[in-house]
Amino acid sequence: MRKTLPEVYKAFDGVSVHLKAEPLNTSVSARMEEKGTEKGVAAMSACYQGFDPAAYLQYNYTPPRADFERKDSIVPWKLACLHRAFTEGDVNGELLVDIGSGPTLYQVMSGCEVFNKVLLTDFLEVNRQELRGWLRDEGGSSLDWTPFLQHVCKLEGRGASAWTEKAAKLRQVITDVVPVDVHRPQPLALDDLPSAGADCLVSCFCLESASPDLAAFNRALGHIGSLLRPGGHLLLIGTLGMNYYFGGPGVKIPAVPVNEAQVCAGLKENGYTLIRLEVYTTPQDMKLGSDDGSGVFFAKARKE
């Protein structure tokens, strides 16, 4: 475990008394960490330049991972977690913000029934274009979201034919698709959010796949928390134990492998109270080689 500067000094008798000047040490440490983070984030950004939304969707949002007839399929599991979180009664308000939407929409299909406004965000313009293509309803989407909409309607106790109403509702409440950078202290442009902040954040497979190391992952948790009003909720989904995933043919993107304990510690460190943590273990036949993750976590937390 990496020691802080004061801890290192304590290891040498008689030296810490003279060198434990907190303001100086904190400043030096912060500058060193910031420089390392900038290099790591720049390297991550370069990896994403070849990201292919259509290929990513094919890898992760078609059977067997999106098999709505299988109880152990990952996509129905995620949709069930989100449905429960949005219908338990404590997650509510005016504005829901999705952090790092990627080219996907499933993560706000339940939330659009609770919030009057939904803001989608992503770092990559190609992903923002993919989302806008669906919102314009001009046949510009790389994936047919109909089975996802139908499944969420089923979870809500509505008939499968209600999916057209849900699609219309999504297009009505999604107000914009804007850039985001979770590694900036202010991840969104100031005029993208009301001054009071969002009532709820959802973020799926973003932080661990955009961070060069665990420290950056934890800082990103804090950065997105700045967008959330006190008492607001964070619904966080991510991959466990993932060192890489493919964002397109030959586009291997490194990730920070996190475990449940690290996720819980990161939430606590950044002022969230964990309400629930659920874990999904990936069946062998769903380990398709598009990533090396061992499972998926879902966390529901409240900002204090």
Side-chain angles (χ1 to χ4, degrees), residues 1-12 22 25-26 28-30 32-33 215:
M1 180 179 293
R2 184 181 61 83
K3 296 181 179 180
T4 63
L5 285 177
E7 289 172 333
V8 172
Y9 293 145
K10 287 176 186 176
F12 299 91
E22 282 295 324
N25 291 340
T26 301
V28 171
S29 177
M32 289 175 66
E33 286 191 2

Side-chain angles (χ1 to χ4, degrees), residues 43-64:
M44 291 293 294
S45 178
C47 290
Y48 272 92
Q49 296 313 303
F51 189 89
D52 182 341
Y56 173 81
L57 291 168
Q58 183 66 32
Y59 297 156
N60 297 286
Y61 295 97
T62 59

Side-chain angles (χ1 to χ4, degrees), residues 88-137:
E88 287 172 326
D90 55 340
V91 177
N92 51 56
E94 180 72 12
L95 176 63
L96 168 66
V97 179
D98 182 25
I99 300 295
S101 305
T104 65
L105 290 156
Y106 70 90
Q107 60 272 28
V108 295
M109 288 180 182
S110 291
C112 75
E113 304 293 344
V114 180
F115 294 88
N116 295 321
K117 296 179 181 178
V118 175
L119 181 66
L120 303 182
T121 74
D122 200 71
F123 182 74
L124 296 177
E125 175 60 21
V126 288
N127 285 336
R128 299 195 296 270
Q129 289 175 353
E130 175 72 26
L131 296 171
R132 293 185 191 113
W134 185 87
L135 290 170
R136 287 193 294 266
D137 195 15

Side-chain angles (χ1 to χ4, degrees), residues 82 96-101 106-107 182 201-208 224 234-238 297-299:
L82 291 164
L96 168 66
V97 179
D98 182 25
I99 300 295
S101 305
Y106 70 90
Q107 60 272 28
V182 299
L201 301 180
V202 60
S203 185
C204 302
F205 306 108
C206 172
L207 303 189
E208 76 281 4
I224 67 173
L234 169 65
L235 307 179
L236 185 67
I237 294 179
F297 71 86
F298 170 81

Side-chain angles (χ1 to χ4, degrees), residues 12-35:
F12 299 91
D13 291 339
V15 179
S16 60
V17 175
H18 304 288
L19 298 182
K20 196 179 176 183
E22 282 295 324
L24 176 61
N25 291 340
T26 301
S27 174
V28 171
S29 177
R31 285 202 302 271
M32 289 175 66
E33 286 191 2
E34 184 177 351
K35 198 172 217 181

Side-chain angles (χ1 to χ4, degrees), residues 148-221:
F148 297 75
L149 293 161
Q150 290 175 329
H151 187 76
V152 175
C153 287
K154 182 179 178 181
L155 293 173
E156 294 170 353
R158 303 160 65 185
S161 62
W163 74 269
T164 56
E165 298 172 9
K166 182 172 283 290
K169 183 72 175 287
L170 261 181
R171 291 186 170 103
Q172 175 190 342
V173 302
I174 293 175
T175 58
D176 207 348
V177 185
V178 301
V180 68
D181 186 343
V182 299
H183 297 299
R184 292 183 179 276
Q186 181 63 40
L188 295 175
L190 290 176
D191 57 356
D192 285 335
L193 284 185
S195 58
D199 299 293
C200 179
L201 301 180
V202 60
S203 185
C204 302
F205 306 108
C206 172
L207 303 189
E208 76 281 4
S209 58
S211 299
D213 51 42
L214 184 60
F217 174 90
N218 287 332
R219 281 192 294 272
L221 265 177

Side-chain angles (χ1 to χ4, degrees), residues 260-296:
E260 299 99 306
Q262 290 168 331
V263 172
C264 293
L267 289 168
K268 183 177 181 180
E269 178 185 326
N270 286 287
Y272 301 96
T273 296
L274 181 64
I275 298 172
R276 182 168 69 253
L277 181 75
E278 301 180 53
V279 171
Y280 167 94
T281 301
T282 306
Q284 194 60 40
D285 69 333
M286 290 190 199
K287 295 181 178 179
L288 308 176
S290 55
D291 65 68
D292 69 340
S294 60
V296 176

